[in-house]
Amino acid sequence: QRQPSASRVGPGPLVLGCDSVLAFEGEVLGKPATAAEAIHRWRQMRGRAGVLHTGHCLVDVTGGRHVEEVAATTVYFANITDAEITAYVATGEPLRVAGAFTIDGIGGPFVERIIGDPGNVVGLSLPLLRRMLWQLGLPINALWRRA
């Protein structure tokens, strides 16, 4: 890896895009389309594990360069009841997120454990972002505000 430039005062405009999918038993699952689909997924996922993949694309607008990376985190789901599934889906939260779950919202108690970066499950892997910035020649502290 090349060293970030010490002479660069700060970055030009950067654009970061991220999106996630859950790999579960040979399927790739995004956001469920309906409440019925979310209920079906949770009945399959409960007591089991899947791998959440989040794609990250960082673009240096000024320099025209970009870096693409994927982070993967294994998620172990609790063996929740049908009543818990129905109540959770009724909140609407599972319909807005890949894999029909979150760890930073109402769904957090339904995730027993994870192996990997928890930020990745939320939607942004900060350690990966740091490495991506490095590839563009920027230390992460170049993004810090200075008083």
Side-chain angles (χ1 to χ4, degrees), residues 24-25 43-50 75-79:
F24 181 78
E25 297 193 348
R43 287 181 176 159
Q44 290 181 309
M45 294 184 320
R46 64 179 162 195
R48 303 172 102 162
V75 180
Y76 292 84
F77 301 102
N79 192 13

Side-chain angles (χ1 to χ4, degrees), residues 114-138:
I114 63 170
I115 296 176
D117 178 6
N120 182 53
V121 182
V122 175
L124 171 61
S125 171
L126 293 175
L128 181 59
L129 174 60
R130 183 187 143 273
R131 292 190 302 272
M132 293 171 73
L133 286 163
W134 187 271
Q135 291 177 49
L136 291 177
L138 290 167

Side-chain angles (χ1 to χ4, degrees), residues 16-18 54-58 67-69 71 120 123-125 128 132:
L16 175 66
C18 301
T54 302
H56 298 65
C57 181
L58 180 63
V67 179
E68 298 172 355
E69 299 284 344
N120 182 53
L124 171 61
S125 171
L128 181 59
M132 293 171 73

